[in-house]
Amino acid sequence: MPEWGRGSAGSSRPFGTCAASGMSWPPWRQGAPGGAPSPGPASSGGGWNLNPGPLRRSERSRDLAADADGDAVWGGQGLFSRRPNAPSGAEGRSCPGSTAPMSSRGPRCPVRTQRARWERKRSRTARELLETERRYQEQLGLVVQYFLCILRAKGTLPAAELQAVFGPWESIHVGSQKLLRHLEAGHWGAGLDRLCGHLELYIGFAANKEQSRAALQKWLRKKRFRKFVQLQEGRPEFGGLRLVDLLPLPLQRLQQYENLVVALAENTGPDSPDYQQLTRAALKLSEAIQLVDVIEQEQENDLQLQRIQTLLSGHRAKGLIKGRWFLQQGWLLVVPPKGEPKSRMFFLFSDALLMAKPRSVLHIPYGGTFVCQALYPMAQCQLQRIFGHSGGARGGLLCLLFPHEKLLLMSTDQMVLSHWYHNLSTAISSQARHYTR
């Protein structure tokens, strides 16, 4: 019997390579050209692991027992079909590339065991995709039936406000219905390939997320609309779910699509008719997830900038933070050339450091806000850590050199100071790269 598996110590043969034949299964798990998709983004939870890894004894025993009644079949006969046992003896099964027959009483071929394991994982993933898609389509339909259709028929919300709250919800619902029909018919590759044509709807839905949240909050302050929403949410079909719980559903489902489709592609053999479509779908879903992540980061940054703008008062503060990326804010002690250190609030952005002084709570109408004192450009800054390198508990001192000013910032908390030092270094280096382009 040929030796198959992860080679012994010192062997350069990769996992899944047969010593007798030199072949590997499946080739795309070994990084062959035309293989599986490249690892996904950070939002994918660490990327895709397309190498099956070593087999544990317990897993191997369980897989051998589960494979006793037949071998899994790749494609052709359907996703969950199995092939009856092949005859033993001279006509028995053998590893690919080996001429030695496999006896029914002897050890089983590891490549067939591995194929069976992949097929079982593929079957579980496909079943999960089908069941969760049914539930997803049902929840989309609840919002369409009990909110969108009724609100449009009664004219409770103007068409523009309806679009602002729900975005392309109905189009996403139609796309889910089409995908579900393909999945129920067993057309996995074709169905997921068509899903990729609807990914623009999910990207548009992500771009409309903050507008939807703001519009819904505005209308929920109106008694008539609030009572209508509460009445619909009390229906037994919703199972206690609220409208605000259902609105993020498409973006949550998009992440599930990526996880499930990647797992499905990982455990599909290259000779399957669905292989190319599943691989292509996994790549397109990964790209869509990256775009959604960028959109969400921009929306979060805009919210932070709006919050900071409300904290800053006075004519000098208007428009100071427009178009910037927020990095950090907090209290630091400013050490003057003479006198005692003064506590000031600092706001660090991608291109500037803003220093502000708190206003008195008795100051009307700006009580509890800050007045801008200085705005330092990061492109002209040189950063030095005077002390606080050892990581002790006594804090440290930072020196920021500008063309016409020297700023000494102190903190009694070493962790806080290290965080400021890191973010300041990031802002300075990003501005240096920007000006060298």
Side-chain angles (χ1 to χ4, degrees):
M1 169 181 167
E3 181 182 353
W4 193 285
R6 193 180 296 274
S8 59
S11 173
S12 61
R13 186 172 68 254
F15 175 83
T17 304
C18 182
S21 63
M23 69 170 289
S24 62
W25 179 267
W28 62 275
R29 290 179 178 264
Q30 308 299 331
S38 60
S43 65
S44 304
W48 304 337
N49 181 13
L50 303 186
N51 194 324
L55 305 180
R56 294 191 296 270
R57 183 180 300 275
S58 59
E59 292 179 344
R60 191 180 185 89
S61 302
R62 182 175 67 254
D63 292 333
L64 289 175
D67 196 44
D69 295 330
D71 292 326
V73 180
W74 294 105
Q77 301 299 323
L79 187 63
F80 305 110
S81 61
R82 299 178 67 82
R83 187 177 63 189
N85 281 333
S88 59
E91 299 178 358
R93 295 169 295 175
S94 61
C95 289
S98 173
T99 58
M102 293 290 292
S103 172
S104 60
R105 297 183 180 180
R108 299 181 65 83
C109 179
V111 68
R112 295 188 182 277
T113 301
Q114 186 62 46
R115 287 181 182 179
R117 176 181 291 110
W118 287 333
E119 180 64 19
R120 286 193 296 274
K121 291 180 179 178
R122 183 175 188 262
S123 299
R124 287 194 300 267
T125 304
R127 190 177 298 110
E128 181 182 356
L129 176 60
L130 177 60
E131 292 173 354
T132 54
E133 187 64 25
R134 284 173 178 160
R135 178 58 179 161
Y136 173 56
Q137 193 271 335
E138 175 187 344
Q139 292 177 326
L140 290 175
L142 288 176
V143 175
V144 172
Q145 180 180 356
Y146 293 108
F147 284 98
L148 276 161
C149 292
I150 297 177
L151 289 172
R152 185 181 293 114
K154 295 175 64 176
T156 306
L157 291 184
E161 292 296 317
L162 205 62
Q163 178 67 22
V165 173
F166 296 98
W169 190 281
E170 289 176 296
S171 300
I172 291 175
H173 180 227
V174 172
S176 175
Q177 289 177 321
K178 293 179 180 178
L179 173 61
L180 184 58
R181 286 196 292 269
H182 279 284
L183 298 183
E184 289 177 336
H187 303 150
W188 307 90
L192 291 169
D193 199 38
R194 290 198 62 177
L195 169 67
C196 295
H198 296 90
L199 293 180
E200 295 267 341
L201 297 174
Y202 287 86
I203 296 173
F205 189 86
N208 187 62
K209 177 181 175 182
E210 287 305 317
Q211 183 183 4
S212 171
R213 180 190 61 82
L216 182 61
Q217 288 181 351
K218 181 186 74 174
W219 281 94
L220 284 175
R221 287 194 289 267
K222 301 184 178 182
K223 184 177 179 180
R224 181 185 175 190
F225 181 78
R226 184 170 63 251
K227 290 186 68 175
F228 168 77
V229 170
Q230 292 172 350
L231 179 64
Q232 301 302 87
E233 292 173 345
R235 292 178 178 270
E237 293 90 342
F238 285 85
L241 291 174
R242 300 182 304 160
L243 180 60
V244 293
D245 301 325
L246 292 172
L247 284 180
L249 193 61
L251 297 182
Q252 296 170 1
R253 184 58 178 170
L254 184 63
Q255 184 63 62
Q256 293 175 352
Y257 278 143
E258 185 192 23
N259 296 336
L260 292 170
V261 173
V262 168
L264 202 59
E266 285 180 351
N267 295 285
T268 299
D271 56 341
S272 170
D274 292 335
Y275 175 75
Q276 293 295 335
Q277 291 174 317
L278 292 175
T279 302
R280 185 165 54 250
L283 284 171
K284 290 183 178 180
L285 282 166
S286 175
E287 293 171 357
I289 288 288
Q290 291 182 30
L291 287 175
V292 170
D293 288 343
V294 170
I295 291 172
E296 290 181 342
Q297 290 172 7
E298 292 176 348
Q299 291 175 344
E300 177 63 25
N301 183 68
D302 290 341
L303 291 177
Q304 292 285 1
L305 295 182
Q306 293 173 17
R307 178 187 63 82
I308 295 171
Q309 188 69 76
T310 60
L311 291 175
L312 298 175
S313 62
H315 178 71
R316 294 180 60 190
K318 300 304 179 183
L320 285 178
I321 60 175
K322 186 177 180 180
R324 295 186 165 104
W325 282 91
F326 171 73
L327 298 180
Q328 185 180 357
Q329 81 174 68
W331 293 96
L332 290 172
L333 294 172
V334 179
V335 182
K338 296 180 181 180
E340 294 294 324
K342 299 178 181 179
S343 181
R344 292 291 183 264
M345 174 63 75
F346 285 88
F347 299 91
L348 177 61
F349 305 99
S350 55
D351 65 335
L353 177 67
L354 190 151
M355 181 173 67
K357 180 175 67 173
R359 285 185 181 270
S360 171
V361 294
L362 301 178
H363 192 287
I364 299 175
Y366 300 115
T369 62
F370 298 88
V371 58
C372 177
Q373 286 189 303
L375 188 68
Y376 301 97
M378 288 292 99
Q380 303 175 4
C381 178
Q382 297 181 22
L383 177 64
Q384 298 177 1
R385 181 180 286 189
I386 305 302
F387 64 88
H389 303 76
S390 61
R394 291 184 289 182
L397 180 68
L398 299 179
C399 177
L400 284 72
L401 296 175
F402 298 95
H404 304 291
E405 189 172 351
K406 179 179 180 181
L407 189 63
L408 295 177
L409 303 179
M410 186 175 69
S411 174
T412 57
D413 190 319
Q414 175 65 34
M415 294 295 294
V416 171
L417 191 78
S418 297
H419 194 201
W420 275 104
Y421 181 80
H422 171 75
N423 286 332
L424 285 166
S425 301
T426 301
I428 294 171
S429 60
S430 66
Q431 289 301 299
R433 289 194 300 268
H434 176 74
Y435 281 97
T436 54
R437 289 177 182 175

